[in-house]
Amino acid sequence: MKICVLGGDGYCGWATALYLSGKGHAVAVVDNFARRQWDYELGVQTLTPIQPLVDRLRAWHDLTGRKIELFVGDVTDHDFLATTIASFQPEAVVHFAEQRSAPYSMIDRKHAVFSQVNNVVGTLNLLFAIRELAPDCHLVKLGTMGEYGTPNIDIEEGYIKIEHNGRSDVLPFPKQPGSFYHLSKVHDSHNIMFACRIWGIRATDLNQGVVYGTVTDEVLLDEALINRFDYDEVFGTVLNRFCAQAAVGHPLTVYGAGGQTRGFLDIRDTVRCIEIACLNPAVPGECRVFNQFTEQFSVLQLAQMVQAAGRDLGMNIEIEHMPGPRVELEQHYYNAKHSKLIDLGLEPHYLSESLLDSLMNIAVKYRDRVDPSLFLPQVEWRNPNNTRRQRVRAAAAMESAV
Amino acid sequence: MKICVLGGDGYCGWATALYLSGKGHAVAVVDNFARRQWDYELGVQTLTPIQPLVDRLRAWHDLTGRKIELFVGDVTDHDFLATTIASFQPEAVVHFAEQRSAPYSMIDRKHAVFSQVNNVVGTLNLLFAIRELAPDCHLVKLGTMGEYGTPNIDIEEGYIKIEHNGRSDVLPFPKQPGSFYHLSKVHDSHNIMFACRIWGIRATDLNQGVVYGTVTDEVLLDEALINRFDYDEVFGTVLNRFCAQAAVGHPLTVYGAGGQTRGFLDIRDTVRCIEIACLNPAVPGECRVFNQFTEQFSVLQLAQMVQAAGRDLGMNIEIEHMPGPRVELEQHYYNAKHSKLIDLGLEPHYLSESLLDSLMNIAVKYRDRVDPSLFLPQVEWRNPNNTRRQRVRAAAAMESAV
């Protein structure tokens, strides 16, 4: 199958591109290296030493004989995107090419506007490119479970049947996103649903949970293929941060009571879910929504699991509660459905099995690269202007003064 | 009360600015004249000969002694908007400053992207400006009834109590907007709701129906104050088009069966609703939603009412059914609640009373300015690239050849 992976140099995108290529699909990666640029901007880096994309692609080719095509450019540049789609003629486009950090979108007005314009325009461009240049192509779009927020009712997969005043309808599930980034995904979802309705586009909107893990079968082949492991307060996710903290003997920092509950999945399940979606496309005009996660945990549960895993490695790990930077409920009902991908054949990996291999051991292996100053949240949701740049400048000034 | 009217040179904005000024409020108008620019782009003009804004403001001052402040600039330019808010220090900001035409947003990709970026960025800028520079200022934002689409259940005002699997919650009413423009308003609504939650901003989101009428007490004072009357296929609304068609003896063009049902209101009620919202502000942190319309009609009902009104004026008006350019249901359930503004004191004007005075007579008075080539829809929802510019060029070429 011909599959185009937009954002194929990023964390999920890279693992997905390799997995699909390994399965024999003809894969093209599209990327503008924005993700690497944001590392420079924030003064952070992935714990794992990732290689330049051309080197990674060459290593993959040398090791497997498989060639992944590369298109370098920005999906918000419609001329570039249209040329790419017209030239590669994909049967499926997997769209990871968005700014995906909630804290990044909350830094200040410019970052909020950038996140929404970047994500919404890229997706609009893609919808028009598919409609005009590859109308039968299946759009596989990465959304987020964060679109739903934490309602006091069960979360369904995209749509809910509502009975009201003696009538009923199946309607889009109401959204209560928790950051300007999450909002951008809600905007995308509405735009995609509309494009399917008016143009007969086929789309799968994957509301993905928090992804963890670095190791997939393909990146294990060679150190040159290693994937990102982000633990900083802006692009890192909670589980990565806990493992990096454990690796350097830092207490695990739990925001508030730690009752914040979310859906999680192993990156090995991410790549498999994408392939399942591609192999079982939506029908023309259908905007199908899958909730893409396998288990749900509270933040405190995760901290306790990392603590226990550390104990097995002979570490004594403390848990520290601190005020959270976000505006969110610290205790709430959470029960999100996630059966559609299972019905299509997903066999989940569970955190209890991968925590040591795919997370703790990686964190320990690269612990010399951990910068503990990146653990603590600097972006406060209640503050409309988090002067991150000043912090980075101040740190640099301090360093040069030493 | 100090009230800033963003988009105060447009149709609703102008009527609102005059009304609020006439009631003794200190009013500032903010506008970049985008609405006039779109007329040039499309080769259309309002049926009524409106004056340049500075002339209108001068006439208002000469007639009433009241001064409306003017800030010329674009709300997507944050420096300009922030300077304006900081300098005027409004107690309420009424935000009309968006691209508001569904067909305009459906012309092609560039118009879709422009509509969403323009509207979303303007509103984000305003939210940040309020948070940083006027945190107690009440945001009165114009949304649209079109955000809801046409669900098969009653439409509530912004939120709905959902019972599901034995639990319940009050959640944002699910949205099914019908154009890239309507989608931009849904995006805005989600952004505003979030800003209220994290920053304690006070907001009223007015989901307005289709506004009709040109005459308010204030514009009646002098011909120099006359308001817009748009009847063209891009910016005109159905009732205006019917009246302009009747005025020149053209059949009323009903799309499909004509069962499309929407909420409508007189522009005299628009301006009153805005004042009611300003005088009864939302509390800090509240994102209140009012459905701002007074009656609901199907398109065919409107045609029949115009036909009957024409009969009273001695006209013989035909109704013609034709395929519609939009993707929408031609027959559907529609029952939208709209009691909150009534509860706060709105006394509606009804179409049956104003159709002749405020619509038909205006259309007849200015019928020499009607261009019947603007009646027929040129923007097809199913077509991603409606080459309007070619049409305008072709028409110009034809004319110069004559």
Side-chain angles (χ1 to χ4, degrees):
Chain A
M1 198 169 186
K2 295 187 74 172
I3 306 176
C4 203
V5 180
L6 309 184
D9 187 47
Y11 167 57
C12 290
W14 175 240
T16 300
L18 290 191
Y19 180 84
L20 294 174
S21 176
K23 291 285 173 189
H25 300 292
V27 175
V29 158
V30 177
D31 212 293
N32 68 340
F33 308 116
R35 181 65 193 82
R36 294 179 189 246
Q37 189 64 30
W38 298 325
D39 277 351
Y40 295 135
E41 176 193 352
L42 300 169
V44 305
Q45 62 179 344
T46 152
L47 184 65
T48 46
I50 61 169
Q51 301 302 308
L53 181 57
V54 287
D55 295 346
R56 295 165 127 185
L57 292 176
R58 195 179 303 118
W60 175 248
H61 182 246
D62 293 347
L63 287 159
T64 65
R66 298 188 188 278
K67 196 160 165 52
I68 293 177
E69 277 194 62
L70 173 59
F71 295 84
V72 176
D74 189 332
V75 297
T76 68
D77 170 356
H78 186 258
D79 288 347
F80 160 75
L81 181 65
T83 308
T84 300
I85 298 294
S87 125
F88 188 71
Q89 282 293 322
E91 294 160 271
V93 173
V94 183
H95 182 19
F96 288 108
E98 300 204 322
Q99 194 296 95
R100 66 119 184 110
S101 159
Y104 190 86
S105 75
M106 300 301 295
I107 292 175
D108 58 13
R109 187 192 64 81
K110 285 189 182 175
H111 288 79
V113 167
F114 168 77
S115 299
Q116 294 208 351
V117 170
N118 181 71
N119 294 0
V120 167
V121 172
T123 296
L124 282 175
N125 282 351
L126 182 55
L127 290 168
F128 276 87
I130 289 175
R131 168 65 181 79
E132 298 194 73
L133 303 166
D136 202 47
C137 175
H138 177 209
L139 169 60
V140 179
K141 166 67 165 55
L142 273 291
T144 162
M145 286 299 295
E147 293 182 37
Y148 298 116
T150 54
N152 193 41
I153 58 173
D154 293 344
I155 295 171
E156 300 296 327
E157 300 197 61
Y159 303 88
I160 181 171
K161 182 172 183 185
I162 300 179
E163 315 262 356
H164 184 54
N165 298 347
R167 304 181 62 86
S168 84
D169 201 354
V170 175
L171 296 173
F173 198 96
K175 302 291 179 76
Q176 296 178 297
S179 74
F180 287 117
Y181 152 70
H182 289 102
L183 282 154
S184 77
K185 294 282 196 181
V186 172
H187 306 342
D188 282 343
S189 293
H190 281 99
N191 284 341
I192 295 167
M193 214 172 277
F194 174 68
C196 290
R197 179 149 54 92
I198 62 164
W199 293 334
I201 285 179
R202 45 173 90 209
T204 302
D205 199 352
L206 297 171
N207 284 338
Q208 189 168 242
V210 182
V211 188
Y212 59 80
T214 300
V215 177
T216 51
D217 291 346
E218 297 75 28
V219 308
L220 270 182
L221 288 178
D222 194 281
E223 175 97 7
L225 299 176
I226 199 165
N227 202 349
R228 302 186 65 93
F229 183 110
D230 298 304
Y231 66 95
D232 64 281
E233 49 110 10
V234 172
F235 276 94
T237 48
V238 56
L239 198 50
N240 286 9
R241 188 179 75 241
F242 285 164
C243 291
Q245 289 175 327
V248 297
H250 192 284
L252 311 185
T253 47
V254 170
Y255 300 158
Q260 304 91 327
T261 303
R262 302 290 185 269
F264 288 80
L265 76 163
D266 189 302
I267 192 160
R268 291 173 293 183
D269 291 336
T270 291
V271 300
R272 174 69 181 132
C273 286
I274 301 291
E275 193 195 22
I276 288 174
C278 291
L279 294 176
N280 301 276
V283 299
E286 183 187 15
C287 181
R288 187 174 61 168
V289 181
F290 295 160
N291 291 347
Q292 181 168 311
F293 73 98
T294 60
E295 299 173 276
Q296 53 182 61
F297 298 103
S298 74
V299 169
L300 186 58
Q301 281 177 312
L302 293 176
Q304 289 164 342
M305 289 175 80
V306 170
Q307 193 175 41
R311 208 176 293 126
D312 293 348
L313 297 175
M315 299 169 166
N316 180 24
I317 299 165
E318 282 173 28
I319 294 176
E320 197 176 276
H321 292 264
M322 56 181 294
R326 303 190 181 204
V327 177
E328 62 187 0
L329 295 176
E330 290 180 11
Q331 298 290 356
H332 56 87
Y333 179 75
Y334 198 78
N335 184 38
K337 305 298 175 63
H338 55 108
S339 62
K340 291 190 181 178
L341 283 159
I342 304 277
D343 292 347
L344 289 172
L346 175 66
E347 293 171 8
H349 297 80
Y350 293 110
L351 177 58
S352 52
E353 298 156 16
S354 58
L355 181 55
L356 283 175
D357 289 348
S358 191
L359 280 156
M360 286 293 276
N361 287 341
I362 294 279
V364 170
K365 179 173 176 186
Y366 295 103
R367 72 175 141 200
D368 290 348
R369 291 169 55 92
V370 171
D371 175 355
S373 79
L374 304 178
F375 290 152
L376 295 188
Q378 304 281 344
V379 180
E380 289 275 347
W381 261 230
R382 290 176 181 82
N383 182 353
N385 191 7
N386 294 280
T387 50
R388 281 194 55 82
R389 290 193 196 91
Q390 285 175 20
R391 182 180 71 88
V392 173
R393 273 203 298 272
M398 240 180 356
E399 221 169 293
S400 67
V402 171
Chain B
M1 198 170 186
K2 293 187 76 173
I3 305 176
C4 203
V5 180
L6 309 185
D9 187 46
Y11 167 57
C12 290
W14 176 240
T16 299
L18 290 191
Y19 181 82
L20 294 174
S21 176
K23 291 285 175 190
H25 300 291
V27 175
V29 157
V30 176
D31 212 293
N32 67 343
F33 309 116
R35 181 65 194 83
R36 295 177 189 245
Q37 188 63 31
W38 298 326
D39 277 351
Y40 295 135
E41 175 193 352
L42 300 168
V44 305
Q45 61 179 346
T46 152
L47 184 67
T48 45
I50 61 169
Q51 300 304 307
L53 181 57
V54 287
D55 294 347
R56 295 164 127 186
L57 293 176
R58 196 179 302 117
W60 175 248
H61 182 246
D62 292 347
L63 287 160
T64 66
R66 298 189 188 277
K67 194 159 166 51
I68 293 177
E69 276 195 62
L70 173 59
F71 295 85
V72 175
D74 190 332
V75 296
T76 69
D77 171 356
H78 186 258
D79 287 347
F80 161 74
L81 181 65
T83 309
T84 300
I85 298 294
S87 123
F88 188 70
Q89 282 292 323
E91 293 160 272
V93 173
V94 183
H95 182 19
F96 288 109
E98 299 203 323
Q99 193 298 95
R100 66 116 183 114
S101 159
Y104 189 86
S105 76
M106 300 303 295
I107 290 175
D108 59 13
R109 187 192 63 82
K110 286 189 182 177
H111 288 80
V113 167
F114 168 78
S115 299
Q116 293 207 352
V117 171
N118 181 71
N119 294 1
V120 167
V121 173
T123 296
L124 282 176
N125 282 351
L126 182 55
L127 290 168
F128 276 87
I130 289 174
R131 168 65 181 78
E132 298 195 74
L133 302 166
D136 201 48
C137 174
H138 177 210
L139 168 60
V140 178
K141 166 65 166 55
L142 272 291
T144 161
M145 286 299 296
E147 293 184 37
Y148 298 115
T150 55
N152 193 41
I153 58 173
D154 292 344
I155 295 171
E156 300 295 327
E157 299 195 64
Y159 303 89
I160 181 172
K161 182 174 183 183
I162 299 180
E163 315 261 358
H164 184 53
N165 298 346
R167 304 182 62 87
S168 85
D169 201 353
V170 176
L171 296 172
F173 198 96
K175 302 290 179 77
Q176 296 178 297
S179 74
F180 288 117
Y181 151 71
H182 289 102
L183 281 154
S184 76
K185 294 281 196 181
V186 172
H187 306 342
D188 282 343
S189 293
H190 281 100
N191 284 341
I192 295 167
M193 215 172 275
F194 174 69
C196 290
R197 178 150 54 92
I198 63 164
W199 291 335
I201 284 178
R202 45 173 89 208
T204 302
D205 199 351
L206 296 170
N207 283 338
Q208 188 168 243
V210 183
V211 187
Y212 59 78
T214 300
V215 177
T216 50
D217 290 347
E218 297 76 26
V219 307
L220 269 181
L221 289 177
D222 193 282
E223 175 97 9
L225 299 176
I226 198 165
N227 202 349
R228 302 186 66 91
F229 182 111
D230 298 304
Y231 67 96
D232 65 281
E233 49 110 10
V234 172
F235 277 95
T237 47
V238 56
L239 199 50
N240 285 8
R241 188 179 75 241
F242 285 165
C243 292
Q245 288 174 328
V248 297
H250 192 284
L252 311 185
T253 47
V254 170
Y255 300 158
Q260 304 91 326
T261 303
R262 301 290 184 270
F264 289 79
L265 75 164
D266 190 301
I267 192 161
R268 291 173 293 182
D269 292 336
T270 291
V271 300
R272 174 69 180 130
C273 286
I274 301 291
E275 193 194 23
I276 288 174
C278 292
L279 294 176
N280 302 275
V283 299
E286 182 186 16
C287 181
R288 187 175 61 169
V289 182
F290 296 160
N291 291 346
Q292 180 167 311
F293 72 98
T294 59
E295 299 174 276
Q296 53 181 61
F297 299 103
S298 73
V299 169
L300 187 58
Q301 281 178 312
L302 293 176
Q304 289 164 342
M305 289 175 80
V306 170
Q307 194 175 40
R311 207 176 293 126
D312 293 348
L313 297 175
M315 298 168 166
N316 179 24
I317 299 165
E318 283 174 27
I319 294 176
E320 197 176 276
H321 292 264
M322 56 179 294
R326 303 191 181 204
V327 177
E328 62 186 1
L329 295 176
E330 290 180 11
Q331 298 289 357
H332 57 87
Y333 179 76
Y334 198 78
N335 184 36
K337 305 298 175 64
H338 54 108
S339 62
K340 291 189 181 179
L341 282 159
I342 304 277
D343 292 346
L344 288 173
L346 175 67
E347 292 171 9
H349 297 81
Y350 293 109
L351 177 58
S352 53
E353 298 155 15
S354 58
L355 181 54
L356 283 174
D357 289 347
S358 191
L359 280 156
M360 287 292 276
N361 287 341
I362 294 281
V364 170
K365 178 173 178 187
Y366 294 104
R367 71 174 143 203
D368 290 349
R369 290 168 56 95
V370 171
D371 175 355
S373 79
L374 303 177
F375 290 151
L376 295 187
Q378 304 281 344
V379 181
E380 289 275 347
W381 262 230
R382 290 176 181 82
N383 182 354
N385 191 6
N386 294 280
T387 50
R388 282 192 55 81
R389 289 194 196 90
Q390 285 174 21
R391 182 179 71 88
V392 172
R393 275 203 297 273
M398 239 180 358
E399 222 168 292
S400 65
V402 171

